[in-house]
Amino acid sequence: MSPCRSLSAATLSWLVAQSAATSPISVKVHPDVYAKLTDEANPEWHQVTLDAAQKNIQFTTL
């Protein structure tokens, strides 16, 4: 797996929206992406994290 620091919020939002997982899943992302996802001051990115939590998806860093 190669780290990708240039994933967009829209890409991860699409991934979350399309998920039909029935059990918890973890998505590993580059540390730069993880920092954006966990930054509550960045509403676009943080909303992806909130939406993921509702679908039992967790983001982790490499």
Side-chain angles (χ1 to χ4, degrees):
M1 170 171 48
S2 107
C4 183
R5 71 174 76 192
S6 60
L7 285 172
S8 69
T11 298
L12 293 176
S13 183
W14 180 88
L15 179 137
V16 169
Q18 299 305 311
S19 176
T22 57
S23 58
I25 62 172
S26 292
V27 177
K28 291 183 180 180
V29 296
H30 189 277
D32 292 349
V33 173
Y34 186 78
K36 293 175 190 176
L37 288 166
T38 57
D39 181 2
E40 292 182 16
N42 188 333
E44 178 186 13
W45 281 90
H46 192 62
Q47 187 61 50
V48 175
T49 302
L50 298 176
D51 294 344
Q54 291 181 339
K55 289 195 164 192
N56 219 2
I57 299 169
Q58 175 184 358
F59 293 103
T60 62
T61 190
L62 302 173

